[in-house]
């Protein structure tokens, strides 16, 4: 059945799979001490224009969030997130499980605004009781956000400025980073992000890999004995080649950007299609996730021939649903959808 | 200097201190296995009209909150609290430190309304993604709240009904419980609270003791090996007599209620005093904490002769401050204040 | 270079890789809700002769150990392990990181003897102070052990009997389970293990997969909301197909057993080779890990042409080293070794 | 009934109690911001001859151990302890509950020998696999130990030297420190201990106070935001005066040392008494805890008229029991005992 359910419904991009097959019989050391993993790190640092950063591979987004946050914060420090942020809402409290408070602030269509953060920090540092409070030490954002929206360079810079002013770290969850970078409406490049964030990750699971997120620490930001700490979190693969080989393929010949662009091109077509048919959008997303308002009748009818994600009920008659394109979506898929809606 | 800074500025009530002195040379077993602790438990169960409940003594409020919540919840379960709740704001993330998410909902002058909780739960159980979310398993309230406000019997019953409906536990933080029970505006008795809550505690630190909170578990609600678990939290006193003897004194001849009433009587006088002088109240509190709005000039002037608590800045010219009475406040104290304001 | 360094130096078995390729373009739901994962579970339950067990896939051994132990134990409960057990020694304290004590007992060549465990439990339950002690609630063993040794059916039954007697759970870490099952000296079958353990896992990473361990809970032993809990640990793959497809291939046509047998056959050849050349064995291992004592000169010489694992220094002149065969070791590899040693 | 059950069977020393009574009605700020607490800190620093150290008051030993260890170690660091150490055995895994491994080494009558620790560290740092292991970062000892034994100045210096060599911290649990300092067989003074340890505590609960341990951090060793962290652990008293006033009394006019000496004098009398009657000692203790071997008949007979602590069963006929003297034991108590044994 046709499906726009999510961006992780297909296995790996064919070139990624080819790389796994081609290297399969090579004898390689474990735990990331292999040539492909080393090369993948080199390629990523180059793409980030950040030779002094440090790159590590983890298997998924929640794992990356929990490992990064818990290894960068002390026990009395917390992380600021939009109330709708992935760590705040959809990770079964994985951050709290490591002992840290997620300080939830009100977002603007998924985004954390500098003004909101600044207000919180001014109140915190102006409060004589703050010895009784968790110290806000990190800002967590996702880019694109859970609603497909994007930070502008100015907005990201404003968050970084706050971090510098208050001694905080800026952490960008890039589970869908490629789709943000190739959006037609972004002014942020990968080197910009590498320069503005203390730590971020480049999502592979949703963009061409079977699994894997590449965590990038800016110079000097990598936690002590980080590899040991990933082991302690159960996050280290014995066959580190699995993520190394995949990211090596993704960052060879700009594959990551090319296949991310495919998702954006298909999303634009899908957006135009829904618009041309008079459907209402829940919000304006410049990336691969499109949030559409459907009546109950439309939902029932489309569901018969096409899968999509349920988001929330708006009222008795209408729901918000999500159509996601990905590295693997084809023009034919969008055309098939045009026959259905 | 005259002080209404808080309700823990004086040592113990004289009868509590006398009891400590009187029993000091008795040879008693440790860890709560002594006759005074046992008697204190009996007296409290009687005051609660709840012979089958279980009573344990801890030393302070944050400790009680962390021990109760972490021992009653499984790792994937969270506790709902008002955003202004003590556990949400002023315990340095002690609950998250034990691995549990505090799910913060918007309060109504410090109180968690049944409607707010119900909306949250309906959304949670209506969301197909809730396998990715922390399971709300407990409702935490404080009574009186951080703003001195009180739940009515109807409101508390409504929260309990929600708990029954959704398989949750109701936990009442009674750090200032006596001041709530003796308020002129409450319709809740101690037996009511014991019947409506799965677990609650009776605060001693702020009402006549040097330290100590009496945690009361309703029948069948005490966590397995609870004493061992308090030890694991570093919350067990070798000389358990310290809390046992104090609570024995507090619950002999209704001392706890009598001294709580003193705080309420003094608070009413103080309230009338401020009102009669035309001061503005930040909110209407029926208990021992009164929140007054002062201009910068008033603050400066009163500060010279009397201590009070700073709450928050309202605007450039005005602040909210707190005047707290306690078991130890005298009529003379209020009269002295009348010379100052 | 020829390598017997470990059993995770090659990618996946070719049939496992083929399965990943063949299913790559199928549109599948995430988080394990796909047909291949479901089928893999069915095949594993069948191989275990345990239709009522529950199977879940995790990515690695340390992750499996931490998730299983922390979700099955309460906070005041600990797990008994041999002092040389993987969780005791080589997981950077991953179990303690989740809050649980690993109670270390002296092993017999890597194995935990029933007598040792019983002595500990009798002392624990005979001690009046045990309210101050962690409650031993689980026995952790690995099979094969870190030293390649195996439990007999009688020994495993004795541990299970202790569990039944003391209300404990038996957990078997089977990171190398296939190599144990196909050993020429074992009397334990997979159904035996499924029947005797409350929970165990079937290792994939070291036996034919790129990653993945299949956790098998006996009837009724699966922790509440287990999937959510794996998410909380950062242990859930968005593309659950990655482990599902691999285990489906491994448990089709007995592939898992067949390739495990290959490792054993090669290990026997290697063992005979070393014995015939007069090398001394550190211990007698009936599985794929062989521990040989080498002089410094031998080490230096062999290292030039062949990789192996360093274990420990015995004295100034001699070291213990490990030669591991795997699903991928060939007769040609052993022959090549015969030219070197 | 006559009791030598433990050193916490009596309330506070009379001068400590007097101080609590005398200061009871003083208006004092909370959380340790009061003049008595500040003075107590000053007095302790002076007694330690360590003006640049930092002193904090906690309520009990397990709490002090958990707070100190968890705030001084990073998540991947562990603490070395004798297998018989209090944190290893009798605190319900309170250290592991905070996420840290207790690395248990074999003791010599309760004491951790430098040689044992050095062997462990050499093996750890000589192991190529140590990235998979918890990093030993602290040495925990108790002085006196759980068996009443004492470290000599040479032994303590040897442990400190190891710490300096390997970048570790030396932590001395002084729950019974006074009894160690006043032993007739010690060559260690309080200033020695303050100089040799990175952190230690001076026990109050077992020596004259109702509760309280004074944690002393050497210059520069206090963890960041330590007060907030004690709050996060539920270890901060609102009425900090409770511990401040008690320690102020204990360190005025050498009361702490004088009453500790009383316990030692009585212990020597008790020791002589048992020896003169031909009883066998389990070990030779120079402090207030004496471990005697009793036959079943002796146990039964003495139990009728005197309480003592049960330690362990030696064989069918004999047990080890503990007689503890304290600050409150009188010459009359020992004389009464002489009528019984």
């Amino acid at each position: 059945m046709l499906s726009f359910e999510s961006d992780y419904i297909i296995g790996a991009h064919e070139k990624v799979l080819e790389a796994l097959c081609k290297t399969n019989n090579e004898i390689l050391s474990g735990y990331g001490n292999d040539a492909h993993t080393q090369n993948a790190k080199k390629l990523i640092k180059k793409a980030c224009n950040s030779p002094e950063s440090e790159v590590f591979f983890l298997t998924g987004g929640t794992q990356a969030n929990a490992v990064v946050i818990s290894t960068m914060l002390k026990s009395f420090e917390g992380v600021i997130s939009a109330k709708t942020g992935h760590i705040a809402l959809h990770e079964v409290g994985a951050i709290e499980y490591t002992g840290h408070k997620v300080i939830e602030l009100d977002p603007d269509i998924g985004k954390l605004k500098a003004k909101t953060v600044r207000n919180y920090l001014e109140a915190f540092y102006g409060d004589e009781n703050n010895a009784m409070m968790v110290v806000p030490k990190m800002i967590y954002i996702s880019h694109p956000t859970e609603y497909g929206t994007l930070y502008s360079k100015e907005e990201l810079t404003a968050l970084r400025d706050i971090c510098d002013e208050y001694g905080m770290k800026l952490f960008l969850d890039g589970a869908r980073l490629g789709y943000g970078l190739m959006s037609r409406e972004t002014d942020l490049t990968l080197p910009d992000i590498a320069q503005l964030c203390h730590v971020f990750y480049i999502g592979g699971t949703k963009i061409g890999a079977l699994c894997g997120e590449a965590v990038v620490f800016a110079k000097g930001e990598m936690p002590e004995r980080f590899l040991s700490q990933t082991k302690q979190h159960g996050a280290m693969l014995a066959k580190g080649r699995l993520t190394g080989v995949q990211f090596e393929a993704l960052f060879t010949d700009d594959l990551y950007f090319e296949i991310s662009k495919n998702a954006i091109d298909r999303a634009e077509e899908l957006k135009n299609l829904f618009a041309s048919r008079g459907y209402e959008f829940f919000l304006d997303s410049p990336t691969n996730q499109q949030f559409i308002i459907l009546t109950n009748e439309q939902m029932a009818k489309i569901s018969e021939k096409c899968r999509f994600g349920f988001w929330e009920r708006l009222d008795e008659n209408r729901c918000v649903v999500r159509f996601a394109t990905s590295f693997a979506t084809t023009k034919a898929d969008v055309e098939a959808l045009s026959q259905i809606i």
Side-chain angles (χ1 to χ4, degrees), chain A:
Chain A
M1 189 190 268
L2 186 64
S3 177
F4 292 89
E5 193 183 358
S6 78
D7 33 22
Y8 41 91
I9 55 176
I10 293 285
H13 186 272
E14 60 180 359
K15 289 192 184 167
V16 171
L17 201 57
E18 270 170 33
L20 283 173
C21 293
K22 207 176 126 195
T23 60
N24 188 62
N25 291 321
E26 294 178 15
I27 292 173
L28 298 174
S29 284
Y31 306 112
N33 297 315
D34 66 88
H36 298 290
T37 299
Q38 298 312 313
N39 191 36
K41 291 182 177 188
K42 225 171 88 183
L43 291 168
I44 286 172
K45 289 187 211 179
K46 200 176 156 204
C48 292
N49 194 21
S50 181
E52 296 183 302
S53 60
E54 300 267 8
V55 180
F56 289 96
F57 300 110
L58 296 172
T59 49
T62 297
Q63 185 179 87
N65 289 332
V67 169
V68 166
I69 293 171
S70 67
T71 59
M72 290 188 77
L73 296 186
K74 293 177 190 131
S75 73
F76 54 92
E77 297 172 343
V79 54
I80 290 177
S81 164
K83 205 187 274 195
T84 52
H86 208 259
I87 58 168
L89 215 52
H90 285 121
E91 302 188 351
V92 198
I95 305 308
E96 290 87 352
Y97 182 71
T98 69
H100 299 279
K101 187 176 184 70
V102 178
I103 301 163
E104 300 178 7
L105 301 184
D106 287 323
D108 180 10
I109 323 183
K111 288 158 62 177
L112 205 50
K113 308 297 278 193
K115 181 71 187 152
T116 309
V117 177
R118 187 174 291 282
N119 285 348
Y120 179 82
L121 293 170
E122 283 174 359
F124 175 84
Y125 284 105
D127 183 351
E128 294 177 1
N129 284 322
N130 78 14
M132 304 304 182
M133 296 170 76
V134 166
V135 178
K137 201 69 183 184
M138 179 182 268
I139 297 175
Y140 163 92
I141 56 172
S142 48
H143 180 87
T145 68
E146 286 67 26
Y147 286 100
T149 50
L150 291 173
Y151 289 84
S152 68
K153 189 166 179 177
E154 189 182 345
E155 289 172 326
L156 194 63
T157 304
L159 290 174
R160 171 62 189 239
D161 288 347
I162 288 176
C163 285
D164 289 343
E165 189 176 340
Y166 285 97
M168 297 172 75
K169 305 294 182 188
L170 183 56
F171 172 32
L172 182 148
D173 167 344
R176 294 187 169 96
L177 188 56
Y179 303 141
L181 292 172
M182 301 314 290
S183 166
R184 296 173 187 178
E185 299 179 27
T186 191
D187 63 348
L188 275 169
T189 63
L190 185 52
D192 288 338
I193 285 170
Q195 201 189 347
L196 288 168
C197 296
H198 294 90
V199 57
F200 70 101
Y201 61 92
I202 302 170
T205 305
K206 286 164 178 154
I207 308 181
L210 279 162
C211 68
E213 320 290 308
V215 181
V216 183
F217 290 103
K219 185 183 173 187
E221 298 297 337
M222 182 182 63
E224 193 184 340
R225 270 181 104 88
F226 185 70
L227 264 185
S228 289
Q229 295 203 58
T230 62
K231 177 80 177 167
Q232 190 183 47
H233 280 79
M236 188 194 271
L237 291 173
K239 293 183 179 167
R241 66 199 296 157
L242 172 56
T243 43
V245 167
Q246 290 186 92
F247 271 97
E248 188 182 30
L250 285 170
F251 279 84
T252 295
D253 296 337
D254 289 335
L255 179 63
Y256 188 75
F257 302 96
E258 184 188 299
I259 66 180
S260 293
K261 184 169 180 301
N262 175 72
I264 293 301
D265 289 345
R266 299 295 83 74
E268 291 296 323
E269 291 165 10
L270 182 146
K271 212 166 152 177
N272 291 336
L273 172 64
F274 275 108
S276 70
R277 302 288 173 89
Y279 285 82
E280 195 182 345
F281 288 77
F282 180 58
L283 53 86
D284 182 28
S285 157
T287 58
N288 74 311
Q289 300 180 82
Q290 296 297 324
F291 297 86
I292 320 282
I293 298 173
L294 297 185
T295 63
N296 296 349
E297 294 72 33
Q298 289 170 330
M299 264 191 72
K301 187 188 128 202
I302 301 176
S303 298
E304 283 173 25
K305 301 200 176 162
C306 176
R307 281 196 187 140
F308 47 83
F310 175 83
W311 223 244
E312 60 177 290
R313 178 157 286 284
L314 265 193
D315 55 38
E316 277 189 29
N317 274 319
R318 299 178 310 157
C319 289
V320 181
V321 302
R322 184 188 70 176
F323 283 76
T325 62
S326 81
F327 67 96
T329 309
T330 62
K331 268 179 171 293
D333 292 334
V334 183
E335 273 154 32
L337 182 64
S338 78
Q339 306 301 319
I340 295 171
I341 70 171

